[in-house]
Amino acid sequence: MSPVDNDTVLVDKVRAAFRDKVISTTVHRGEVTHLVCASALRSVCTFLKTDPDLRMNFCADVVGVDYMGETPRFEVVYHFYSIPKKHRIRIKVRVNEGETVPSITSIWAGADWAEREVYDMFGIAFEGHPNMKRIYLAEDWEGYPLRKDYPVRGYKDRYNPYGVDREEKD
Amino acid sequence: MAEQDNIISTREITLHMGPQHPSTHGVLHLLLQMQGEMIMKAEPDIGYLHRGTEKIAEGLLYHQFTPYTDRLDYMCAMSNNLAYVMAVEKAMGLQIPERAQYIRVIAAELSRIAGHLLAMGAWALDLGAMSILLYAMREREIVLDIFEQICGARMTLSYLRVGGVRYDFNKEIVESINELLEVMPGRLDEYETVLIGNRVWIQRNEGVGVISAEDAINLSLSGPALRASGVKWDIRKDEPYLVYDRFDFDIPTGENGDCLDRFNMRFAEVKQSMRIIKQAIKDLPDGRFNVDIPEIVPPPKPDVYKNMENLIHHFKYVSAGFKVPKGEVYSAIEAPKGELGVYIVSDGTEKPYRLKLRVPTFVNLQTINHMSKGRYLADVIAIVSSLDPVFGECDK
């Protein structure tokens, strides 16, 4: 949706500022995506928010994706929007099971619940998050439902007689 | 000294408001830390309605998921349909015919009117003005009747589909919409007389739940609630989708960012929606109401019963679905409650690999603590209503 010159700003600015931290850049259907190192996430985000040409002041969403079978297994996807500049960008980081991602709540307070949702559904913890706990599910819930190895019907227990047996799996 | 403190200060208590409370919308459960009647901290506890919609989507064909979107924000199902089908179309790189785009604009704006009417009515009811809810329901009924005329359903519409819409508009529908446009201004004037000038109403809302533009953006607030804080951002204007760039309409913005402003935004937006519908009905072009690609669009239902080829076509569409090219897209629309985004990761098959719904209610609810800190318990009711949460959407 954004015009071509916008794309070049979104691509070139970030690549120039973080030459060795940007692993790959893709443009698909007019949307710019940067895959960056998890260690550089916070500095990339601060740059996106403060740079006068980018000014990404709105954190739209934080999404988890499970690419089971690949290493690193998980991808955390951030969608940012700039209200004054009217453009969008997507930043991604990849992490393995058990690894943490730096939290961006100190940069955009609005990422708070979205990060908790990723933790709830995928078990990816965010380092530096003020309140890292489940948001939708009960605190004593076992497992992370949106992982690809979690059955759609859930696991069998006394509330869910139609679930899958835990032993049946693998 | 210690003895005196004990007498003067009250003990901090935790009050559970909801999940079944007559003045919270849906199953909102608020944990309120209170010092007397003063709110120290308000923490929403959500998830009572969690159905795992995103997990379900991973096991469904692209066209099978459309009815699930109706059940997100069931107060304005058309907007949800629109957000979803637009994301799929973007992933496929599909251009839909102009007539379908106009019909979609009309449908989305009608649903905005229906959604805002309920938001305003329920809000007034929560604060004790019951008649407004009945008035709002009266007008909402006209809109729902139009929906019934368009697609046969009133709440769970599933009217929009990938590649266009389900049924074409006919003369009767256009007439009904014109009738609505005729009666609405008078009805809105009634609201204005009964409610907006009311002293009690103003006192309950003015200066309550104030949030500055900077804080609101930082907390990712969107939609009419953000515009009430003076931020002129509307996706329909700033990243025009469908044919919104051809219509002449204003984006109302507030100044104070309090509950009263948030109400006035919704009231003004209903009027703007009517302006858009009026222009769209006038310019409604002729032509197809869906794309001419047989894999994506099923044959008309009456033909399925008469003709073998059409039956095979229908069967193929329903059982096999259609493939979406590999890649990822994020598409956002301006839903009545804010930015409604759909993020699709496609692996090139007929089912989404990952589908994420960026629902405005969920994100907007984050601001409750900021708005209600230091206010009284009764103000929390107004603040919750001013965010217009719908829990089908929030809990997904």
Side-chain angles (χ1 to χ4, degrees), chain A residues 74-119:
Chain A
F74 297 107
E75 201 166 68
V76 181
V77 186
Y78 300 84
H79 290 115
F80 301 123
Y81 178 68
S82 165
I83 295 175
K85 296 278 175 188
K86 299 176 186 165
H87 53 207
R88 287 181 190 275
I89 198 167
R90 183 185 298 133
I91 301 292
K92 303 204 281 193
V93 294
R94 297 203 80 146
V95 281
N96 257 321
E97 206 171 338
E99 286 177 1
T100 58
V101 182
S103 168
I104 56 160
T105 44
S106 54
I107 307 167
W108 293 277
D112 183 340
W113 282 23
E115 287 186 350
R116 277 176 68 189
E117 193 193 343
V118 174
Y119 170 70

Side-chain angles (χ1 to χ4, degrees), chain A residues 57-58 81 83-84, chain B residues 211-218 221-234 238 251-255 257 265:
Chain A
N57 57 352
F58 187 82
Y81 178 68
I83 295 175
Chain B
I211 188 162
S212 70
E214 203 181 320
D215 290 337
I217 293 172
N218 193 28
L221 192 67
S222 59
L226 177 63
R227 288 191 284 276
S229 296
V231 182
K232 203 172 177 131
W233 172 44
D234 189 311
D238 291 335
I251 306 298
T253 49
E255 281 166 10
M265 285 312 102

